[in-house]
Amino acid sequence: LFFFLMIRRPPRSTQGVSSAASDVYKRQYQRRVHGIYLDIKDMSIPQKDFIQVETSVDFQDAAAAWNLITKKEQLYAYYFSKASWEAAKICTFQRSYESPGLFVLFRLLFSEGIEQLKAKAMKKGISEEEWKQMLAYSAAVLQNCGNYKSFGDKKFVPQIPPQKFLDILTCSSNFAEFNEAIMDIWNSVKDVIYLSDPPFQTLGFRDANGLTSYYSANMTKAEAIKIKEFEQAEHISPINTRLLKLAEKVYWLRLASVEKGNLPYVKTHQWKDCQIIVENGEFSPFLKKAVENLKKSVDYAANDNQVQMLKAYIEHFLYGDMEKHKDSQKIWIKDVNPTVETDIGFIETYVDPLGVRAEFEGFVSIVNKDESQKLFSLVTHASELIKKLPWGPQYEKEEFKKPDFTSLEVVTFAGSETPLGICLPNYDDVRQTVGYKNVNLSNAYPLPTLKNVRFVHESDIDLYIKYFKDSEFLLVALHELLGHGSGKLLQVDDKTGKLNFPEDLKNPYTGQPITTYYKSGETFDSRFGHLHSPYEECRADSVAYFLSCFNEPMDILFKGRESEWDDIVYMAWHSIVICGIKGLEHFNIESKQWMQAHVNAAYVIMKVLLEAKDGLVTFEYCQREGKDYVVAKLDRTKIKTVGKAALSAFLSKLHILKAIGDFEAGKEFFKHYSEVDEEMLKIRQITMMHKIPRKLQLQGLSLIHISEPTRPERISYAVFCLKKKKKT
């Protein structure tokens, strides 16, 4: 079952370090649960976060697009999807210590028909409500690849009582065969899955009152930063790794790969006063199956670019060499406008509290030709649009490398959540020298209804619903192409000492020469650490809102709809204010930290607009359903004057501080707008009173029947979801 890969015996090279070194690691899980619980027994316990049984489910329908592609393309998509889901099991190990066990329990439990299982449970005395609670929790665990929300990093716990949970597990037809394994897993997780007090409440380092399975629970943030320095010195990418502490000053850096060895840095290092064992081969069973399916995909590739790309993926997964993944991305960029778009690997670093280790994901999607044509036109005009951005040419790339930008229908997104848009790869050196790709995932957009629209004035609700997708399409297009795609980092070549900017260029905010530029091999991620995610998302969002004030993007994306442009822009700007309000539920009062990068970014922009004053954004307090309520008002007549001017000044400074690598100034600047004052705490209380359960996502899976792929719309990875909207 491969449960708890992290409690395998440490490498032989550590066994003489300390008589207890092996036991420390093997018993890590027990100490994490019981030891930490004893440490926090006197702390106040916050309200538990359940997955409500009324949670709705969005079906990401791609059936129409699927039926338009050829059998060869369907087979390519099928095997790539299979590879993605096989390796996506890794995500459970990146979410929490107990998540892999939950995944195994639910795979065993729901291997038979839902109605058959339900009938057995009812005979054991399980009520209808308890059954729904079990389904809600199970579906959310599979959706999020664990028991922490992918959007907000907050733990959710079962609403069903522990004994009832166990009663349902014993109903499974697999219980007789796997009795011992199921009970071992249950006994390991039964306590911790119900704990929601700190440090179990949120993801983070233990000494920051959180927990993260990227690191062993005895690791401190300072130790992780120290090992990060080692990784940089030895040119080891941490992207596909986890870091574990075996004993005092003894660390185990584990790389994800099929095989062990074959990399020069895979050995035991003596670095400063530490011993660091670097070993590959973690998650080998999952990646081995992924590689098997990627090899099958090769037979159905559309062109040689795709063949070479697949081979580079396979080479990367074999030994975990991140340079091989970079090679795959360079080839992927050259595979322009494919009918079936794919990518796979360790991609986004949002979940790691240090911001350097990435979560696995793999996706398969099919081109939406109508929307893609509009995005192609936007790319054609991108160089002219970049000139409108509020920073000088010295902070912009000398040449804009036109990316492939397509709108896609998601068939598979194997990971913890499907985004609305993507700009990849995340390697700064590849983006600056080779280019990148943008994709808009059109069938992943959530659609508002009268029931779930909150904090919008009654007079604007109809407009908000009518233009929600148009405004999101506008913002995602500008965010991905010109937000993430603009700007350059000021750097020095360590070997030659050559700068990529004029020596006499001054910091515009201090008037002093620029001394904070990036060194060779240094990236924005490594310089800004965990701040880089909300900072960059905010920069990209700000670019989108700023450029929406110009007619050129509107003419490209909404040609022939000129009479609606102002309404679309108004709703786009209105949405950032609403997102800022709703996002307050992801602000942790105790730690005073934002738990989600995108909502932190939205809140910061909302604060910028509030500070612009002149009545641009105001709040109206009232009552709704007998509870305190707030309505956000945006003066649409001032968007292109007051709003644009405020955003211009903010965006310019945000961008330049990133470009020159001034982390300290950037941190303080961003912190100012991230602060939650008394009025915002009051609004946060209101948002919590009117909180609506976040929708779960339901994806279809491809099946092979008589050597031909088909896509039944009701086959699902989380097949036992609570309910499904009628969308067939």
Side-chain angles (χ1 to χ4, degrees):
L1 297 175
F2 307 117
F3 178 49
F4 293 153
L5 289 180
M6 73 286 287
I7 59 174
R8 292 157 63 193
R9 182 176 295 275
R12 291 178 182 175
S13 55
T14 71
Q15 292 180 13
V17 173
S18 163
S19 60
S22 179
D23 287 340
V24 164
Y25 193 52
K26 289 173 69 178
R27 295 174 185 168
Q28 192 69 62
Y29 181 77
Q30 184 178 2
R31 292 181 58 194
R32 279 190 282 259
V33 176
H34 301 291
I36 291 175
Y37 182 65
L38 292 173
D39 290 343
I40 52 84
K41 62 184 178 182
D42 294 326
M43 299 179 70
S44 59
I45 297 177
Q47 184 179 2
K48 293 181 182 293
D49 194 353
F50 303 121
I51 302 298
Q52 303 298 324
V53 297
E54 65 269 18
T55 299
S56 59
V57 178
D58 267 352
F59 179 51
Q60 293 178 1
D61 188 5
W66 177 267
N67 291 330
L68 291 175
I69 63 176
T70 66
K71 290 179 181 179
K72 181 181 178 181
E73 290 165 339
Q74 288 177 342
L75 285 162
Y76 178 70
Y78 169 76
Y79 285 115
F80 205 104
S81 293
K82 233 184 154 186
S84 299
W85 280 122
E86 290 291 355
K89 295 167 188 172
I90 293 170
C91 296
T92 64
F93 290 84
Q94 298 173 320
R95 186 63 52 179
S96 72
Y97 306 120
E98 60 274 16
S99 291
L102 288 169
F103 177 80
V104 173
L105 288 178
F106 294 143
R107 285 296 297 269
L108 290 173
L109 177 63
F110 292 103
S111 61
E112 61 185 292
I114 301 298
E115 293 306 316
Q116 182 182 349
L117 183 63
K118 180 180 179 181
K120 292 180 185 178
M122 294 298 172
K123 287 181 180 179
K124 274 208 169 187
I126 302 299
S127 69
E128 182 71 27
E129 185 68 10
E130 289 165 344
W131 174 253
K132 289 180 179 178
Q133 290 169 356
M134 186 66 161
L135 292 187
Y137 182 71
S138 307
V141 166
L142 289 189
Q143 150 88 55
N144 292 278
C145 295
N147 58 338
Y148 284 75
K149 293 180 180 178
S150 60
F151 196 88
D153 295 345
K154 188 178 180 183
K155 187 176 183 178
F156 55 92
V157 301
Q159 195 169 8
I160 184 172
Q163 185 57 50
K164 298 290 187 177
F165 195 124
L166 178 58
D167 288 344
I168 294 178
L169 290 179
T170 60
C171 290
S172 167
S173 58
N174 279 318
F175 187 71
E177 183 179 355
F178 298 105
N179 179 302
E180 185 178 348
I182 290 173
M183 291 309 300
D184 280 349
I185 295 172
W186 171 249
N187 289 328
S188 295
V189 305
K190 66 180 181 181
D191 294 327
V192 70
I193 63 174
Y194 283 92
L195 295 176
S196 60
D197 43 337
F200 301 96
Q201 186 181 19
T202 57
L203 298 177
F205 284 105
R206 174 67 187 94
D207 55 338
N209 225 11
L211 285 177
T212 167
S213 52
Y214 277 106
Y215 307 87
S216 55
N218 55 354
M219 283 282 299
T220 65
K221 183 176 181 180
E223 288 176 304
I225 291 173
K226 187 175 183 178
I227 302 305
K228 176 182 168 184
E229 293 171 1
F230 158 76
E231 292 160 352
Q232 290 175 337
E234 296 295 324
H235 303 288
I236 302 172
S237 172
I239 289 176
N240 62 335
T241 70
R242 292 194 305 157
L243 179 60
L244 312 162
K245 182 178 179 180
L246 302 179
E248 194 62 33
K249 298 184 180 180
V250 181
Y251 304 94
W252 193 9
L253 186 64
R254 308 199 66 193
L255 282 70
S257 68
V258 177
E259 305 289 350
K260 289 187 176 184
N262 205 43
L263 295 176
Y265 46 78
V266 171
K267 60 184 179 179
T268 298
H269 300 253
Q270 295 296 332
W271 186 76
K272 295 186 177 180
D273 59 346
C274 299
Q275 183 183 98
I276 304 166
I277 302 104
V278 181
E279 183 182 54
N280 51 0
E282 185 165 45
F283 306 126
S284 176
F286 309 141
L287 291 173
K288 184 177 180 180
K289 289 187 177 182
V291 166
E292 288 171 0
N293 283 284
L294 288 174
K295 287 179 178 178
K296 292 176 182 177
S297 297
V298 172
D299 294 335
Y300 305 102
N303 52 56
D304 187 59
N305 263 335
Q306 289 184 0
V307 170
Q308 298 308 315
M309 175 186 74
L310 289 165
K311 289 181 178 179
Y313 286 138
I314 292 166
E315 287 182 34
H316 158 61
F317 287 134
L318 280 177
Y319 293 100
D321 185 351
M322 289 308 301
E323 290 302 315
K324 297 296 183 183
H325 193 262
K326 277 189 181 181
D327 292 342
S328 76
Q329 299 303 275
K330 293 173 184 176
I331 304 168
W332 178 68
I333 292 165
K334 296 174 183 177
D335 186 28
V336 178
N337 198 26
T339 300
V340 179
E341 181 65 278
T342 60
D343 201 11
I344 193 170
F346 295 84
I347 308 295
E348 302 291 356
T349 58
Y350 299 125
V351 181
D352 174 20
L354 201 63
V356 297
R357 291 174 168 80
E359 188 176 21
F360 177 86
E361 67 182 48
F363 75 87
V364 176
S365 49
I366 300 168
V367 68
N368 179 319
K369 293 184 178 180
D370 181 50
E371 290 184 351
S372 294
Q373 185 58 45
K374 295 176 182 179
L375 296 176
F376 175 78
S377 182
L378 189 67
V379 171
T380 303
H381 294 84
S383 297
E384 293 304 312
L385 291 171
I386 284 176
K387 293 177 183 177
K388 298 180 182 294
L389 294 172
W391 54 77
Q394 56 268 56
Y395 302 106
E396 189 53 63
K397 292 186 285 285
E398 286 74 17
E399 179 189 3
F400 176 75
K401 296 184 181 296
K402 294 181 179 179
D404 185 24
F405 196 179
T406 51
S407 186
L408 306 168
E409 304 286 325
V410 178
V411 174
T412 294
F413 204 99
S416 55
E417 187 164 11
T418 308
L420 301 184
I422 300 172
C423 181
L424 293 175
N426 286 331
Y427 306 115
D428 286 333
D429 53 344
V430 176
R431 291 164 71 97
Q432 302 247 3
T433 58
V434 181
Y436 57 96
K437 271 189 183 184
N438 294 118
V439 298
N440 172 68
L441 303 177
S442 60
N443 63 334
Y445 285 32
L447 297 178
T449 65
L450 286 173
K451 289 183 178 180
N452 62 25
V453 172
R454 292 174 290 159
F455 315 124
V456 178
H457 194 274
E458 288 183 0
S459 61
D460 288 325
I461 289 177
D462 288 343
L463 275 181
Y464 186 85
I465 294 172
K466 180 179 179 180
Y467 291 113
F468 180 83
K469 187 163 185 181
D470 285 333
S471 63
E472 285 292 296
F473 181 53
L474 169 67
L475 295 172
V476 170
L478 296 174
H479 171 109
E480 300 295 348
L481 176 64
L482 301 168
H484 291 313
S486 62
K488 78 172 183 179
L489 304 181
L490 305 193
Q491 292 177 310
V492 62
D493 187 319
D494 290 345
K495 294 181 180 178
T496 65
K498 184 178 180 181
L499 301 169
N500 69 345
F501 62 95
E503 286 188 35
D504 59 351
L505 184 64
K506 299 283 183 26
N507 182 326
Y509 303 105
T510 65
Q512 300 299 314
I514 294 171
T515 59
T516 53
Y517 46 76
Y518 297 83
K519 298 177 181 178
S520 293
E522 198 173 17
T523 65
F524 172 57
D525 298 20
S526 62
R527 176 69 67 88
F528 276 64
H530 195 55
L531 180 63
H532 89 272
S533 292
Y535 195 103
E536 176 60 13
E537 294 304 328
C538 185
R539 194 188 71 88
D541 274 346
S542 299
V543 167
Y545 286 101
F546 180 77
L547 290 177
S548 72
C549 293
F550 296 89
N551 287 336
E552 288 87 341
M554 303 303 293
D555 189 46
I556 294 168
L557 299 177
F558 305 105
K559 195 173 188 65
R561 298 175 59 186
E562 288 78 5
S563 62
E564 299 174 275
W565 287 0
D566 284 345
D567 284 337
I568 294 171
V569 172
Y570 174 46
M571 284 300 108
W573 279 63
H574 205 319
S575 70
I576 199 65
V577 180
I578 301 304
C579 286
I581 293 174
K582 292 194 295 187
L584 281 163
E585 69 179 74
H586 298 288
F587 177 74
N588 187 304
I589 296 177
E590 289 78 21
S591 65
K592 300 190 185 309
Q593 291 183 332
W594 287 92
M595 306 310 298
Q596 213 288 327
H598 294 83
V599 297
N600 187 181
Y603 179 84
V604 164
I605 296 174
M606 181 186 76
K607 287 291 292 289
V608 171
L609 302 184
L610 279 169
E611 284 193 7
K613 300 188 184 302
D614 204 21
L616 177 64
V617 175
T618 56
F619 297 133
E620 180 182 288
Y621 297 96
C622 54
Q623 290 281 307
R624 181 175 175 180
E625 298 175 354
K627 301 175 186 177
D628 289 341
Y629 194 65
V630 64
V631 170
K633 290 187 173 182
L634 172 69
D635 188 338
R636 64 187 296 167
T637 67
K638 297 176 180 175
I639 289 175
K640 295 184 179 181
T641 53
V642 177
K644 180 183 173 186
L647 204 55
S648 175
F650 167 77
L651 175 57
S652 180
K653 186 169 184 178
L654 190 74
H655 173 76
I656 290 173
L657 292 177
K658 172 195 172 181
I660 65 177
D662 194 339
F663 170 66
E664 292 301 327
K667 179 176 70 174
E668 290 305 311
F669 182 60
F670 199 75
K671 179 182 176 182
H672 165 71
Y673 290 103
S674 295
E675 288 176 351
V676 178
D677 58 23
E678 289 301 317
E679 182 180 17
M680 289 301 148
L681 286 175
K682 176 183 176 182
I683 292 177
R684 183 183 183 277
Q685 288 180 323
I686 293 172
T687 65
M688 299 307 287
M689 284 190 285
H690 296 275
K691 183 179 176 180
I692 296 174
R694 185 173 176 81
K695 293 178 180 179
L696 296 176
Q697 295 172 334
L698 177 65
Q699 297 183 34
L701 288 186
S702 307
L703 299 179
I704 294 287
H705 289 298
I706 319 176
S707 301
E708 291 187 9
T710 182
R711 191 170 181 278
E713 293 154 335
R714 293 182 184 273
I715 300 298
S716 164
Y717 180 64
V719 72
F720 47 91
C721 286
L722 307 171
K723 56 185 178 180
K724 183 169 78 67
K725 287 186 172 182
K726 278 193 174 180
K727 198 170 184 182
T728 58

